[in-house]
């Protein structure tokens, strides 16, 4: 059987069978805030690793937990000589983590000559962690082998025979695994080519470095978390170490280009009597990040050159809560200009003016997004999804700015583009004694024309675009001198 030893660096971790469990060179690390499989947390260790010393680190404890809330018991052994430091009276919690010393674990006698060691981690506090489920404890099972790669708890798949499959065969079976055994069909977006579930971007890659049905995000959001899934063929004898590293940085960036990553193509291979058996390693959920971050997976096989399976830098689009936009609005607030008397052909006197009725105007608007907005991504959800809406205020983009104010809502329809609608409050001209005069139609029979001003309210509607997008458009138009 293939035995997979997986390591994660940022701390250097290596995963067992549960996505809550990891191990570095001397420490088993368990996240108590994540649910665990029914069989408990399971990891594989060699005898030499035990002899070098071993610790258990519980992470993501409740903020009010005390060190004495957690106690270790021998699940399938008796620690009659008190070889282990099962008492936590002298321990303390640091950064919501608690560390037990398991240095003498290799000297305990397992009941009935068993080959593994089972620890019960009991919780005695008031805020039972998720990992305990309905019980007041969870199990940690450690399978001990004389050498890593010769696990005593060997898988029965394939009867223990070594098999060799081509990269194409493994990739094809990995594609079937992702499409049939994950939430890919429900949560994959063709627009972004992201498998996004519960705000976690899932990235699947096989043991040969092929991306499986998902692309690497070319641009991501600040709110996203990320999880890389390694798919490997289980019925193979090589011992492989997979190192997963990640690192994040911050440097603001904005782009209006629509980029995308093509997903890995499905490759076909000839049918065979046997097919690869795909198993999955779930690396830890990482993030969130701002600006950019790097992810890398290196495959290490004894006697062979290290192979880089994944090495990508991912840009993170800035999440904006306020943006400045410009656009053309249509307003129902009438403001006739240059009002004059006019004698019609039938001898009747009326009034004429510039812009006597509804009018359009160039505006500048500030939009507040209560839930944040990334302009590198199309609007989310349905037509009335809350992420599409913003609260907008603004004024005219000319000398009349102090006499015209707008307040309303914006409704995103595309990246950087919104419909805008609301109330227009501004100063307007009117004819004294004929406030609602219909220019060009009503008869003007007052002794004299007297134009006054007043503040009034009307409705507006229009389309606005983000000023960064508008700037790029104007720059492109201005730069074309041919």
């Amino acid at each position: 059987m293939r035995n997979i030893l997986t390591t994660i660096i940022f701390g250097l971790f290596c995963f067992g069978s549960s996505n809550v469990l990891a191990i570095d060179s001397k420490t088993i690390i368990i996240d108590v805030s994540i649910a665990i499989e029914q069989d408990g947390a399971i990891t594989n260790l060699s005898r030499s690793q035990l002899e070098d010393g071993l610790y258990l680190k519980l992470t993501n404890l409740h903020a009010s937990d005390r060190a004495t809330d957690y106690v270790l018991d021998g699940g399938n052994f008796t620690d009659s000589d008190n070889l282990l430091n099962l008492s936590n009276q002298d321990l303390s919690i640091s950064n919501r983590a608690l560390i037990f010393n398991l240095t003498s674990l290799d000297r305990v006698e397992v009941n009935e000559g068993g080959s593994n060691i089972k620890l019960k981690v009991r919780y005695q506090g008031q805020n039972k962690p998720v990992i305990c489920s309905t019980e007041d404890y969870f199990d940690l099972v450690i399978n001990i082998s004389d050498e890593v790669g010769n696990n005593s708890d060997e898988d029965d798949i394939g009867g223990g025979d070594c098999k060799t499959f081509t990269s194409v065969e493994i990739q094809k079976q990995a594609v079937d695994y992702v499409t049939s055994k994950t939430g890919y069909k429900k949560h994959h977006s063709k627009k972004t080519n992201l498998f996004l579930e519960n705000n976690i971007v899932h990235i699947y890659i096989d043991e040969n470095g092929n991306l499986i049905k998902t692309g690497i995000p070319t641009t991501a959001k600040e709110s996203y978390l990320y999880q890389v899934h390694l798919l490997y063929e289980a019925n193979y004898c090589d011992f492989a170490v997979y190192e997963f590293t990640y690192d994040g940085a911050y440097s603001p960036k904005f782009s209006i280009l629509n980029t995308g990553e093509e997903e890995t193509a499905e490759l076909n291979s000839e049918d065979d009597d046997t097919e690869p058996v795909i198993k999955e390693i779930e690396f830890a959920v990482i993030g969130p990040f701002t600006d950019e971050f790097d992810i890398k997976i290196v495959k290490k096989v004894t006697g062979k050159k290290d192979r880089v399976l994944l090495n990508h830098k991912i840009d993170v689009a800035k999440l904006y809560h306020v943006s400045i936009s410009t656009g053309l609005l249509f307003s129902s607030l009438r403001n006739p200009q240059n009002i004059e008397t006019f004698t019609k052909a039938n001898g009747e006197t009326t009034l004429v003016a510039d812009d006597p009725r509804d009018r359009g105007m160039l505006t500048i608007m500030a939009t507040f997004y209560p839930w944040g907005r990334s302009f590198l991504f199309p609007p989310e959800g349905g037509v009335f999804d809350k992420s599409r809406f913003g609260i907008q205020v603004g004024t005219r983009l000319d000398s009349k700015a102090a006499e015209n104010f707008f307040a309303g809502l914006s409704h995103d329809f595309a990246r950087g583009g919104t419909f805008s609608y609301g109330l227009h409050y501004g100063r307007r001209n009117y004819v004294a004694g004929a406030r609602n005069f219909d220019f060009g139609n009503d008869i003007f029979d007052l002794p004299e024309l007297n134009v006054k001003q007043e503040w009034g309210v009307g409705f507006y509607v229009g389309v606005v675009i983000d000023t960064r997008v508008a700037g790029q458009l104007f720059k492109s138009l201005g730069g074309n001198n041919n």
Side-chain angles (χ1 to χ4, degrees):
M1 285 302 101
R2 167 183 287 185
N3 296 282
I4 301 295
L5 180 65
T6 309
T7 57
I8 283 191
I9 299 178
F10 198 82
L12 180 64
F13 303 113
C14 119
F15 277 77
S17 61
S18 172
N19 64 349
V20 303
L21 181 146
I23 183 171
D24 67 10
S25 59
K26 293 188 177 182
T27 305
I28 298 172
I29 304 169
I30 297 181
D31 185 343
V32 301
S33 67
I34 302 177
I36 199 170
E37 296 177 1
Q38 185 175 2
D39 294 335
I42 302 175
T43 190
N44 303 314
L45 295 178
S46 68
R47 182 64 60 183
S48 60
Q49 285 177 291
L50 291 179
E51 293 172 353
D52 289 340
L54 188 64
Y55 297 86
L56 171 62
K57 181 177 182 179
L58 306 180
T59 65
N60 282 332
L61 275 60
H62 192 275
S64 62
D65 278 346
R66 300 171 298 174
T68 52
D69 289 339
Y70 286 89
V71 178
L72 300 187
D73 289 332
N76 65 345
F77 66 89
T78 302
D79 188 26
S80 57
D81 296 330
N82 195 27
L83 295 173
L84 296 174
N85 179 19
L86 300 183
S87 172
N88 52 5
Q89 296 296 328
D90 299 326
L91 302 181
S92 61
I93 293 176
S94 177
N95 295 324
R96 296 177 62 187
L98 178 64
I99 300 178
F100 289 90
N101 185 352
L102 307 181
T103 300
S104 301
L105 190 64
D106 62 316
R107 296 164 56 191
V108 302
E109 293 185 7
V110 179
N111 300 340
E112 300 179 357
S115 60
N116 61 17
I117 295 174
K118 179 185 289 186
L119 283 174
K120 283 190 178 295
V121 183
R122 299 189 180 277
Y123 182 75
Q124 304 176 141
Q126 301 299 316
N127 301 284
K128 186 168 66 174
V130 175
I131 197 171
C132 287
S133 186
T134 59
E135 307 293 340
D136 61 356
Y137 69 88
F138 67 90
D139 290 326
L140 169 61
V141 180
I142 305 174
N143 297 322
I144 308 298
S145 63
D146 292 334
E147 297 294 338
V148 175
N150 185 24
N151 193 340
S152 60
D153 187 22
E154 193 166 318
D155 201 330
D156 293 332
I157 298 175
D161 295 330
C162 300
K163 296 182 182 295
T164 301
F165 296 96
T166 67
S167 174
V168 173
E169 290 174 318
I170 293 174
Q171 184 180 11
K172 180 178 183 297
Q173 202 68 14
V175 168
D176 292 340
Y177 179 94
V178 171
T179 54
S180 62
K181 297 185 178 182
T182 71
Y184 172 83
K185 292 182 178 179
K186 180 179 180 180
H187 298 287
H188 178 260
S189 169
K190 292 182 179 179
K191 290 183 178 180
T192 60
N193 193 29
L194 295 183
F195 179 172
L196 181 63
E197 182 178 3
N198 296 327
N199 205 48
I200 299 176
V201 176
H202 296 274
I203 302 170
Y204 285 85
I205 186 171
D206 73 11
E207 62 180 82
N208 297 303
N210 299 310
L211 290 169
I212 306 299
K213 298 297 290 182
T214 56
I216 301 296
T218 54
T219 303
K221 293 185 178 181
E222 289 184 3
S223 59
Y224 284 169
L225 303 176
Y226 310 86
Q227 186 170 35
V228 177
H229 304 254
L230 178 69
L231 303 179
Y232 66 94
E233 204 293 304
N235 200 20
Y236 192 69
C237 291
D238 275 351
F239 169 64
V241 174
Y242 295 90
E243 283 189 352
F244 173 41
T245 63
Y246 61 93
D247 189 19
Y250 183 85
S251 57
K253 180 179 181 181
F254 177 82
S255 173
I256 64 171
L257 297 178
N258 180 14
T259 58
E261 179 88 5
E262 294 185 0
E263 67 182 44
T264 303
E266 296 187 33
L267 302 180
N268 297 319
S269 61
E270 296 182 0
D271 292 334
D272 198 347
D273 294 336
T274 59
E275 292 182 338
V277 176
I278 298 298
K279 286 196 171 182
E280 176 183 351
I281 295 174
E282 294 181 338
F283 291 93
V285 176
I286 61 175
F289 300 101
T290 58
D291 184 58
E292 64 183 21
F293 66 99
D294 301 294
I295 55 175
K296 184 177 182 180
I297 297 179
V298 178
K299 179 179 180 180
K300 297 184 176 183
V301 178
T302 303
K304 297 182 180 180
K305 185 178 179 180
D306 293 352
R307 180 178 178 184
V308 177
L309 302 184
L310 181 68
N311 188 11
H312 280 271
K313 176 177 288 187
I314 299 173
D315 291 327
V316 179
K318 186 173 180 61
L319 186 66
Y320 290 91
H321 287 282
V322 178
S323 72
I324 303 299
S325 54
T326 185
L328 290 173
L329 299 183
F330 166 86
S331 174
S332 66
L333 183 62
R334 298 193 301 171
N335 184 26
Q337 303 291 315
N338 301 319
I339 302 173
E340 298 177 352
T341 58
F342 177 77
T343 302
K344 297 192 289 186
N346 60 6
E348 294 178 344
T349 300
T350 187
L351 297 178
V352 294
D354 296 333
D355 301 326
R357 295 179 177 82
D358 304 325
R359 53 188 167 134
M361 60 194 73
L362 184 64
T363 62
I364 184 166
M365 310 287 278
T367 305
F368 171 67
Y369 295 94
W371 299 277
R373 184 75 173 89
S374 172
F375 297 106
L376 295 182
F377 283 82
E380 296 179 348
V383 175
F384 298 105
D385 186 86
K386 66 180 183 180
S387 65
R388 291 177 177 263
F389 288 91
I391 300 170
Q392 202 165 59
V393 295
T395 186
R396 285 182 60 166
L397 193 59
D398 59 18
S399 60
K400 300 292 185 180
E403 298 181 359
N404 293 272
F405 302 98
F406 303 90
L409 296 177
S410 67
H411 191 174
D412 286 7
F413 63 87
R415 280 174 285 192
T418 66
F419 291 116
S420 181
Y421 44 89
L423 297 178
H424 174 195
Y425 179 66
R427 294 189 71 180
R428 68 186 188 101
N429 295 327
Y430 71 96
V431 177
R435 183 182 300 274
N436 297 314
F437 192 87
D438 185 3
F439 290 86
N441 294 317
D442 289 352
I443 298 174
F444 181 71
D445 55 5
L446 295 176
E448 62 178 348
L449 174 61
N450 193 359
V451 178
K452 298 293 185 180
Q453 286 190 324
E454 67 176 358
W455 289 90
V457 177
F459 296 96
Y460 76 86
V461 64
V463 176
V464 298
I465 60 175
D466 188 88
T467 52
R468 287 161 294 184
V469 180
Q472 291 290 335
L473 293 175
F474 295 147
K475 181 179 178 181
S476 298
L477 292 174
N480 186 7
N481 298 320
N482 296 328

